[in-house]
Amino acid sequence: MWVGLEAAATICGVKKPEWFQGATWVDQGRDVVWRADEVELVTAPVVGAIEEARALPDSWWEELRASLTALGKHATERVGMSQKHLTRRITEVFGDVDTHVDEWATSHTDVHWGNLTTDGHLLDWEDWGAGPRGLDAACLWQASLTDKDLAERVRREFAGDMNTRSGKLAQLLQCANAVRVAAKRGESTPFSEAAQAAADDLLVELRPI
């Protein structure tokens, strides 16, 4: 049963829709349990396109940094990204890499331009939990890879997390996801090509000489 929205109501200092109440009921005919949540209506549109992201003001970035910093400090027993999953995905795509994560932080786990609004709200809280430090920044970075300037902006804004070992592993994970999707489709994409190039640099840093 998905309770991420309700559980996220305890998080302070993060700009997100307020959760009001939830209801669950059993559908005997379909042998399933349904859940509905009532949350604050956010009227600002999602950022969505990279073109819109490029135009975001400095104040927007400052607010997102504050939200992710507060989120990272929130204590939780929820797991958003496990060591096992990270290791499996990275080694599946890139082979032998030391994937041990040495720093963990509470993460949203799905920060991309479709989950961020133009007024700074962070949407979609079903899967939040502990993850490698820098995971959220890495998610947004991967979503920006087709625009070098925007991807660099993300790296600059969240350098404190992304330059750590765990942050680099989080970036490599996102690269692995993009490369893996393209491989399954049988053709490269602008995202997978940019991800492979970024992964080549990350692997030089993460693999012992």
Side-chain angles (χ1 to χ4, degrees):
M1 188 179 296
W2 291 351
V3 295
L5 283 170
E6 181 176 356
T10 63
I11 301 172
C12 298
V14 178
K15 191 166 184 177
K16 57 182 176 56
E18 183 179 355
W19 179 86
F20 298 126
Q21 60 184 335
T24 58
W25 63 96
V26 178
D27 185 337
Q28 298 287 3
R30 298 184 181 182
D31 194 28
V32 296
V33 176
W34 298 99
R35 178 181 176 93
D37 289 279
E38 181 186 6
V39 298
E40 175 189 2
L41 174 64
V42 176
T43 58
V46 296
V47 177
I50 283 180
E51 292 75 16
E52 296 295 329
R54 287 198 207 104
L56 292 168
D58 291 345
S59 58
W60 185 94
W61 290 95
E62 291 169 6
E63 191 165 41
L64 179 61
R65 282 202 314 273
S67 284
L68 294 186
T69 297
L71 174 60
K73 295 177 180 178
H74 180 80
T76 184
E77 295 182 356
R78 289 173 58 92
V79 176
M81 171 64 64
S82 69
Q83 175 72 70
K84 182 178 180 180
H85 178 86
L86 178 142
T87 297
R88 182 174 67 247
R89 182 54 48 81
I90 289 177
T91 55
E92 174 189 355
V93 177
F94 299 122
D96 184 27
V97 184
D98 179 2
T99 59
H100 174 69
V101 175
D102 57 356
E103 293 182 89
W104 297 84
T106 300
S107 309
H108 176 277
T109 76
D110 196 22
V111 179
H112 58 74
W113 298 115
N115 276 340
L116 289 162
T117 66
T118 55
D119 69 347
H121 280 88
L122 185 51
L123 310 177
D124 188 8
W125 286 85
E126 292 297 347
D127 298 320
W128 70 276
R133 177 184 175 185
L135 176 61
D136 287 338
C139 289
L140 191 59
W141 168 77
Q142 191 253 38
S144 310
L145 277 177
T146 55
D147 185 299
K148 290 184 178 180
D149 290 341
L150 185 58
E152 183 55 35
R153 177 74 189 261
V154 176
R155 289 182 66 93
R156 186 168 66 251
E157 294 289 346
F158 299 100
D161 290 327
M162 295 187 72
N163 289 338
T164 63
R165 172 179 168 77
S166 61
K168 291 175 182 178
L169 285 170
Q171 291 168 72
L172 190 61
L173 169 68
Q174 296 304 316
C175 291
N177 288 338
V179 172
R180 180 173 178 268
V181 168
K184 284 195 167 187
R185 292 177 177 172
E187 59 181 0
S188 62
T189 68
F191 274 107
S192 69
E193 291 171 358
Q196 183 63 64
D200 290 342
D201 292 336
L202 288 164
L203 287 168
V204 170
E205 299 180 49
L206 290 167
R207 280 180 173 147
I209 298 175

